[in-house]
Amino acid sequence: MSRDRSRFDDGFALIDGSLQLEQDLRFQRRQWIAQRIGWGILWALMAAALAGLLGRGPLSKRTAVDPSGTIAVEYDRFQRERAKSELHLTISPAAVRDGRVQIWIDDAYLRRVQIDTISPPPVAVRMEGTRQVYAFAVEPSATPVRISLHYEHQSVGSLDGRVGIAGGPEVSLSQFVYP
Amino acid sequence: MDSVVRGAAIYLFLLLVFRISGKRTLSQVTTFDFLLLLIISETVQEAMVNDDHSLTHAALLVITLVGIDIGLSLVKRYWKAAEKVLDDIPLVIVENGRLLEDRARKCRVDLGDVLHAARELQGLERLDQIKFAVLERNGGISIVPKSESAGD
């Protein structure tokens, strides 16, 4: 292993008595250690992301259900700003009244997201205090009603929301949005 | 406000990632290395622009990137340790015809890389014709050939 034979004040060593170079083996060794730690962090982040901790993945899926089982909302606990997201609602047929089911979402949540499409499209939307109420036309039947909202988060950080059936049970969502 | 924040975040993030990944990553030795750099640039661009196509946003991003670059170069001038941390330092990997294997391994450089540089830069044929091979900060390898008259 070579040694620096002499060291000048300006940080340039003279390798083997002839090559003038700003080599610094002590710093190099410490840098190698730091790099390996950095690689570990990189791979850990990849693993965390694959698991869903950084948005959209198995560890991120949550379902909020109310005690009576009337409304269930499937959502992603971790999401990212401006990334395509989805909410899936499953409503029990008992909540259908006069061929309609009415879902409300609280305004504070809606102001921080941008909804792209709602499937199926609602037949009516109205404001009710701090909530927006969406009415869907439903044929009476025994199958649960499935509604999907495709949206994007417009802001970063923690976000709590409430979704419920008009005049009925509600559930809360808790999300964290990465920038 | 977010123009400056985004620009700064991307600059510092890229600096950190490329310093962590080591000298060789930036060196574009193979065609794929070059492609990788292109892909990274495309990815980062999307996040920086963030759907804001105004002149002001573009100008602010450029100003932020250049401004931080200038700021760091001043820091490097007044604080020598910062230069090593930010820019990296060169390393001798061949000395007097002998490959320093421990160092080469840690830098993920092999004999083939050294010989490639020797051929390309100096037209040398063999390892024993190399006096020094230095892995430079930018990932390239520079070669100092043995002088024939010295007879070593």
Side-chain angles (χ1 to χ4, degrees):
Chain A
M1 198 158 136
S2 83
R3 274 192 294 279
D4 305 330
R5 298 297 158 97
S6 63
R7 183 158 285 268
F8 295 158
D9 280 353
D10 57 1
F12 285 81
L14 207 58
I15 315 289
D16 245 5
S18 70
L19 181 66
Q20 189 178 6
L21 192 70
E22 67 267 41
Q23 180 170 273
D24 183 344
L25 292 177
R26 210 176 54 124
F27 180 85
Q28 189 69 64
R29 273 188 279 270
R30 285 199 268 163
Q31 184 174 266
W32 278 326
I33 293 174
Q35 278 173 354
R36 272 146 181 77
I37 293 174
W39 298 352
I41 294 174
L42 272 176
W43 291 323
L45 281 173
M46 278 174 64
L50 276 172
L53 294 174
L54 293 165
R56 295 182 61 177
L59 285 188
S60 174
K61 294 241 168 291
R62 295 276 185 284
T63 307
V65 193
D66 83 285
S68 65
T70 314
I71 175 170
V73 180
E74 231 181 273
Y75 66 101
D76 273 309
R77 168 88 176 88
F78 300 106
Q79 256 298 358
R80 294 187 289 262
E81 189 194 8
R82 308 281 210 95
K84 299 217 182 301
S85 310
E86 290 163 8
L87 286 182
H88 297 283
L89 283 66
T90 306
I91 320 280
S92 102
V96 180
R97 304 246 180 290
D98 301 324
R100 286 219 201 292
V101 67
Q102 306 206 46
I103 307 293
W104 62 262
I105 305 178
D106 77 293
D107 197 50
Y109 183 85
L110 287 173
R111 266 190 292 137
R112 290 175 63 175
V113 306
Q114 176 180 293
I115 297 186
D116 283 332
T117 48
I118 304 181
S119 170
V123 295
V125 183
R126 66 174 191 279
M127 290 285 310
E128 212 175 77
T130 57
R131 305 172 175 182
Q132 284 191 24
V133 184
Y134 298 82
F136 301 86
V138 183
E139 285 297 302
S141 86
T143 52
V145 181
R146 289 193 207 287
I147 298 168
S148 296
L149 272 80
H150 300 272
Y151 70 104
E152 290 180 4
H153 285 278
Q154 297 289 305
S155 68
V156 167
S158 298
L159 180 57
D160 292 326
R162 286 182 3 256
V163 177
I165 297 180
E170 66 183 61
V171 294
S172 28
L173 322 173
S174 184
Q175 291 177 304
F176 185 82
V177 183
Y178 291 94
Chain B
M1 174 198 86
D2 76 304
S3 312
V4 174
V5 172
R6 270 179 195 275
I10 295 284
Y11 184 110
L12 296 171
F13 169 74
L14 286 176
L15 181 60
L16 185 65
V17 167
F18 279 103
R19 288 294 281 116
I20 285 176
S21 71
K23 293 180 182 60
R24 287 303 272 179
T25 307
L26 270 180
S27 62
Q28 298 171 52
V29 173
T30 67
T31 313
F32 185 75
D33 291 329
F34 176 62
L35 269 175
L36 192 61
L37 230 49
L38 283 180
I39 294 172
I40 290 176
S41 110
E42 281 295 304
T43 308
V44 161
Q45 180 247 346
E46 283 294 327
M48 275 205 300
V49 170
N50 196 29
D51 265 355
D52 181 343
H53 300 285
S54 63
L55 275 178
T56 307
H57 184 58
L60 284 176
L61 281 175
V62 172
I63 287 173
T64 302
L65 294 171
V66 172
I68 295 182
D69 208 50
I70 293 174
L72 285 181
S73 74
L74 290 175
V75 168
K76 279 185 266 183
R77 205 146 60 94
Y78 291 113
W79 186 21
K80 201 58 166 61
E83 185 171 7
K84 290 184 189 172
V85 170
L86 291 171
D87 283 349
D88 208 345
I89 45 172
L91 180 70
V92 173
I93 49 176
V94 171
E95 196 171 322
N96 284 320
R98 213 170 40 92
L99 178 68
L100 303 173
E101 284 180 20
D102 188 51
R103 296 185 191 182
R105 208 169 22 91
K106 289 208 180 114
C107 290
R108 295 173 288 142
V109 170
D110 63 19
L111 182 59
D113 297 325
V114 174
L115 291 175
H116 168 221
R119 284 192 298 274
E120 194 170 46
L121 301 171
Q122 297 287 349
L124 299 178
E125 296 171 332
R126 296 179 315 276
L127 183 60
D128 60 45
Q129 293 171 315
I130 300 176
K131 187 169 185 204
F132 289 112
V134 178
L135 180 60
E136 303 287 357
R137 294 184 286 196
N138 64 356
I141 298 176
S142 60
I143 304 285
V144 178
K146 281 192 182 163
S147 53
E148 282 152 30
S149 54
D152 39 39

